[in-house]
């Protein structure tokens, strides 16, 4: 188990890591400063944030141990996040399917 | 005597073909969009449009609509950044920031050029689709700063001219957010075998990383040892992100808390 940390000397504050973090444990607006910071106790070591960082400034902090109850809470949050993402995808897929169906039937073209 | 910056401020944006923002589409234009892409309402949502391209890669109109939507923001970028090159010469900012804005203008020109070429490769042209919410100059009498300040009056317009505000909102927040759109669009294009589209958006993506870095660097420099200015930068970043979150239906807990805190500050300021 590892958690991650952000090298602030390289970070450009694009916020991509924060937007993809399933536990919302990467903070920016609540830091009071323009800095992206990982709250390690919310990290579930999912490995999603590091690959999206365009300047490779997210690194593993090996050896950090998250207390079991915090880890359970973070995993629960991630599960809820995944559920919300899945629902959004299904909703979007339904809109797309309806739209493409309309196009196929030529409803709007008056065919 | 009128300064060059004042003249530029008074000069409306223009493009050939002229801007035609989607939010002022006529019923006939909406019907035409319905006919071409299935639902005019989807046109503002570039993420859904991109997923439509993934689902129906053979539909050339949907591809044209997606690229036109993104191109709109590139043209708006040329307009916005080139104005800053002139207007910011009247602000106490380093000359290197002015040069960075000139570089960004040129980058946006290349992006618009690439988008134009991509649309033409699909047999279309700029102007086939209306300009999206993200870009385009509004009709006469409407704020030239775009939808983020429309309806908020002269004070909001003035605020958007401030380098710290503009850099934080445009470079850091909007361009930082666009990284996701470009990378994912390039990946979709790769997946459906559209090498040209993949290449174009990969290229744009790299420039957006630089623009975000430029914005962040100068916001840091301009707000150093000035907590009020730093807070202002954070506030406009939150506003831009909140705007985007409302469009996508996603708003983080942290952003909600930030706005709640801002409301508390505003309430205390009122006594």
């Amino acid at each position: 188990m590892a958690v991650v940390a952000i090298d602030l000397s390289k970070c450009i504050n694009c916020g991509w890591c924060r937007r993809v973090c399933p536990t919302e444990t990467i903070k920016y607006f609540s830091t009071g400063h323009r800095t992206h910071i990982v709250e390690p106790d919310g990290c579930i070591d999912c490995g999603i944030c590091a690959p999206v960082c365009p300047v490779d400034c997210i690194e593993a902090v090996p050896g950090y141990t998250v207390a079991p109850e915090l880890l359970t809470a973070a995993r629960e949050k991630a599960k809820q996040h995944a559920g919300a993402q899945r629902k959004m995808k299904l909703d979007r897929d339904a809109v797309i399917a309806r739209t493409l169906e309309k196009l196929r039937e030529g409803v709007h073209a008056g065919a | 005597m009128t300064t060059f910056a004042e003249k530029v401020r008074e000069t409306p944006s223009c493009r050939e073909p002229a801007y035609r923002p989607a939010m002022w589409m006529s019923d006939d234009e909406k019907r035409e969009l319905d006919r071409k892409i299935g639902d005019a309402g989807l046109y503002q949502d570039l993420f859904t449009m991109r997923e439509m391209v993934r689902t129906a890669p053979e539909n050339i109109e949907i591809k044209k609509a997606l690229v036109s939507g993104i191109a709109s923001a590139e043209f708006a970028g040329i307009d916005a950044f080139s104005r800053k090159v002139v207007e910011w010469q009247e602000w106490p900012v380093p000359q290197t920031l002015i040069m960075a804005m000139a570089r960004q203008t040129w980058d946006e020109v290349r992006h618009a050029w690439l988008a134009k070429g991509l649309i033409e490769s699909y047999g279309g042209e700029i102007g086939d689709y209306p300009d999206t919410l993200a870009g385009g100059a509004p009709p006469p009498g409407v704020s030239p700063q775009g939808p983020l300040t429309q309806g908020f009056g002269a004070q909001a317009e003035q605020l958007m001219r401030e380098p710290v505000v503009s850099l934080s909102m445009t470079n850091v927040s909007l361009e930082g957010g666009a990284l996701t759109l470009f990378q994912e669009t390039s990946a979709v294009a790769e997946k459906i075998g559209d090498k040209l589209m993949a290449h174009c958006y990969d290229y744009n993506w790299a420039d957006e990383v630089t623009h975000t870095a430029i914005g962040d660097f100068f916001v840091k420099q301009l707000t150093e040892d000035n907590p009020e200015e730093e807070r202002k930068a954070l506030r406009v970043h939150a506003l831009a992100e909140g705007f985007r979150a409302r469009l996508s239906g996603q708003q983080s807990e942290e952003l909600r808390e930030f706005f709640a805190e801002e409301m508390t500050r505003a309430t205390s300021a009122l006594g």
Side-chain angles (χ1 to χ4, degrees):
Chain A
M1 173 79 195
V3 297
V4 294
I6 297 171
D7 180 347
L8 296 180
S9 68
K10 289 190 205 161
C11 175
I12 59 169
N13 282 324
C14 70
W16 200 346
C17 57
R18 176 171 44 83
R19 294 194 296 274
V20 297
C21 175
T23 59
E24 289 189 20
T25 202
I26 299 180
K27 306 292 184 191
Y28 175 67
F29 295 108
S30 57
T31 60
H33 296 283
R34 296 183 55 264
T35 45
H36 277 83
I37 290 169
V38 181
E39 282 184 353
D41 288 341
C43 183
I44 56 167
D45 195 18
C46 64
I48 294 174
C49 59
V52 301
C53 177
V55 292
D56 293 330
C57 74
I58 302 178
E59 288 156 7
V61 182
Y64 186 94
T65 311
V66 180
E69 66 278 13
L70 295 175
L71 193 58
T72 307
R75 282 182 177 150
E76 187 52 41
K77 201 168 178 180
K79 214 185 286 178
Q80 286 171 10
H81 175 85
Q85 291 287 312
R86 196 160 36 241
K87 183 182 177 312
M88 211 156 66
K89 186 182 180 313
L90 289 174
D91 289 348
R92 181 176 274 170
D93 286 351
V95 168
I96 291 171
R98 267 202 309 273
T99 309
L100 293 175
E101 188 57 32
K102 272 195 223 171
L103 277 174
R104 264 192 294 274
E105 290 171 359
V107 171
H108 295 296
Chain B
M1 198 179 119
T2 313
T3 65
F4 184 40
E6 280 165 346
K7 270 188 195 162
V8 167
R9 261 198 299 277
E10 287 159 11
T11 307
S13 308
C14 62
R15 190 191 66 193
E16 183 55 47
Y19 284 110
R20 203 160 50 96
M23 55 194 130
W24 283 285
M25 267 191 297
S26 67
D27 287 344
D28 279 348
E29 284 174 318
K30 279 182 193 156
R31 270 192 292 275
E32 177 61 7
L33 261 186
D34 278 348
R35 189 188 65 75
K36 290 203 284 193
I37 60 168
D39 185 350
L42 288 180
Y43 185 62
Q44 296 289 353
D45 180 359
L46 296 176
F47 284 92
T48 302
M49 291 295 300
R50 186 199 63 217
E51 290 310 304
M52 280 180 73
V53 168
R54 186 206 299 268
T55 316
E58 72 292 346
N59 189 321
I60 210 80
E61 286 304 320
I62 297 173
K63 275 187 179 181
K64 277 195 240 172
L66 172 68
V67 180
S68 297
I70 298 175
S72 220
E74 310 294 4
F75 282 105
I78 298 171
D79 189 279
F81 293 124
S82 57
R83 283 170 187 272
K84 291 179 197 332
V85 173
V86 178
E87 292 183 11
W88 286 358
Q89 297 195 26
E90 296 189 340
W91 288 80
V93 295
Q95 189 61 22
T96 44
L97 173 56
I98 306 283
M99 295 308 289
M101 290 300 107
R103 178 238 151 103
Q104 271 187 227
T105 304
W106 177 232
D107 288 347
E108 301 297 342
V109 169
R110 277 199 320 272
H111 297 176
W113 193 254
L114 286 173
K116 183 175 177 286
L118 193 53
I119 292 172
E120 284 170 358
S121 79
Y122 300 143
E125 56 184 26
I126 298 288
D128 282 353
Y129 284 89
D131 289 293
T132 54
L133 193 65
V142 179
S143 156
Q145 296 295 342
L148 287 170
T149 58
Q150 272 160 31
F152 293 93
Q155 213 171 352
E157 265 182 53
Q158 183 55 37
L159 192 67
M160 277 303 288
R161 290 200 173 102
E162 287 185 24
V164 165
V165 172
S166 173
L167 286 168
S168 183
M169 185 173 273
T170 312
N171 278 63
V172 186
S173 180
L174 297 181
E175 304 219 38
L179 290 179
T180 317
L181 177 70
F182 286 139
Q183 189 272 334
E184 289 176 355
T185 305
S186 182
V188 165
E190 191 73 48
K191 193 169 174 164
I192 62 171
D194 189 330
K195 296 278 179 211
L196 189 59
M197 186 195 270
H199 192 66
C200 284
Y201 290 119
D202 189 41
Y203 185 97
N204 285 13
W205 179 87
D207 276 345
E208 299 298 352
V209 174
T210 310
H211 296 178
T212 309
I214 286 173
D216 188 55
F217 175 84
F218 283 106
V219 171
K220 271 194 188 104
Q221 197 174 94
L222 297 172
T223 62
E224 207 172 16
D225 302 324
N226 192 335
E228 273 306 306
E229 283 294 290
E230 191 182 34
R231 183 75 189 177
K232 196 194 275 179
L234 206 53
R235 197 176 286 142
V236 291
H237 192 150
L239 273 177
E241 196 147 320
F243 185 71
R244 205 165 49 226
R246 276 200 302 280
L247 287 178
S248 69
Q250 273 183 311
Q251 181 150 305
S252 70
E253 215 169 88
E254 192 195 22
L255 205 52
R256 275 195 292 272
E257 282 166 10
F258 181 85
F259 287 128
E261 193 192 328
E262 282 292 305
M263 191 57 91
T264 309
R265 280 169 186 248
T267 310
S268 338
L270 288 171

